[in-house]
Amino acid sequence: MKFGEQIKERRQELDLTQAEVAEKYFVTRQAVSNWEHNKTYPDLNMLVRISNVYQISRDSLLREDQKLKDYLEQGRAMNSFSISYGFIWIMFGLSYLLDDSTKVGSIAWYSMGAIFLLAMIYEELVTPFFLGINRRTFYRSGKRPDEKLSIFAKLFYGVFVLAVIVSVILVHQGMSGRYASSVLTILVGVQYLLRKYIYVARK
């Protein structure tokens, strides 16, 4: 029995409406309906809550629905990719602070640049294939189609825009552009590290 059929059957056994279930999970009734019709899937945290409320083991929910297992694995893989990619962005941001006037500093800076370039090529070409995401969808949105930006993400990007504005002002006032580039690149890396909080499942 697929995931949606299991939770629908269990909800009816407990004599609950979709609206009542939605209130327990703090989601919309439409989200519950989509789960029951296997149109979308909950993330791992929500799956744990569903298991607890419906008193169905997670193994039982996952056992007969390969698509749900693939969905959760894809989410974990996406987060792993983002964490690795985020650290590379942060390292590249720190490389702006290297003193490239010396031979050692110059070699270190170009080495970081090469690593960064290879990481970008890898991320653009390999990630969509590995995750099983349509390339056009991945390139257009950088996320899975069943996700949207969280409130935290909007606040974070607001801070990023503010940092860009402040950096431009400070550079015009004489601050080295190297420092501004370092800060902004590190912020991009932090965004990848926080991907789990940047994107949330559509309700």
Side-chain angles (χ1 to χ4, degrees), residues 51-68:
S51 172
N52 292 336
V53 171
Y54 282 159
Q55 298 178 351
I56 306 175
S57 71
R58 275 165 285 179
D59 287 341
S60 176
L61 290 172
L62 290 168
R63 188 180 303 117
E64 297 180 39
D65 199 325
Q66 185 61 44
K67 285 186 177 181
L68 175 57

Side-chain angles (χ1 to χ4, degrees), residues 3-4 7 25 27 31 34-36 38-51 61-62 67-69 71-72 144 146 201-203:
F3 168 76
I7 62 172
Y25 297 143
V27 298
N34 287 338
W35 296 339
E36 291 186 355
N38 295 302
K39 292 181 179 178
T40 60
Y41 291 108
D43 61 19
L44 185 58
N45 291 333
M46 184 60 71
L47 186 68
V48 171
R49 292 170 64 186
I50 291 171
S51 172
L61 290 172
L62 290 168
K67 285 186 177 181
L68 175 57
K69 288 191 281 189
Y71 175 86
L72 295 175
R144 296 189 292 181
D146 53 357
R202 291 186 183 278
K203 304 302 185 186

Side-chain angles (χ1 to χ4, degrees), residues 30-164:
Q30 186 61 45
V32 177
S33 175
N34 287 338
W35 296 339
E36 291 186 355
H37 290 89
N38 295 302
K39 292 181 179 178
T40 60
Y41 291 108
D43 61 19
L44 185 58
N45 291 333
M46 184 60 71
L47 186 68
V48 171
R49 292 170 64 186
I50 291 171
S51 172
N52 292 336
V53 171
Y54 282 159
Q55 298 178 351
I56 306 175
S57 71
R58 275 165 285 179
D59 287 341
S60 176
L61 290 172
L62 290 168
R63 188 180 303 117
E64 297 180 39
D65 199 325
Q66 185 61 44
K67 285 186 177 181
L68 175 57
K69 288 191 281 189
D70 291 344
Y71 175 86
L72 295 175
E73 286 296 328
Q74 188 187 75
R76 281 193 286 265
M78 180 73 87
N79 286 330
S80 297
F81 267 112
S82 295
I83 289 171
S84 301
Y85 203 48
F87 277 122
I88 290 172
W89 271 86
I90 290 173
M91 289 170 60
F92 189 66
L94 292 173
S95 73
Y96 280 109
L97 304 178
L98 291 171
D99 181 7
D100 57 3
S101 62
T102 65
K103 185 176 181 180
V104 173
S106 179
I107 292 173
W109 200 92
Y110 283 114
S111 297
M112 278 304 307
I115 292 171
F116 182 72
L117 180 61
L118 290 172
M120 288 189 68
I121 293 172
Y122 177 81
E123 197 263 351
E124 289 294 323
L125 298 180
V126 178
T127 305
F129 171 78
F130 181 81
L131 297 175
I133 301 174
N134 178 276
R135 284 194 175 196
R136 182 176 297 177
T137 299
F138 181 79
Y139 293 153
R140 184 176 64 247
S141 62
K143 59 183 174 60
R144 296 189 292 181
D146 53 357
E147 293 179 331
K148 65 177 182 178
L149 288 177
S150 66
I151 295 175
F152 171 79
K154 294 171 184 176
L155 291 173
F156 180 87
Y157 290 133
V159 170
F160 183 81
V161 170
L162 182 62
V164 171

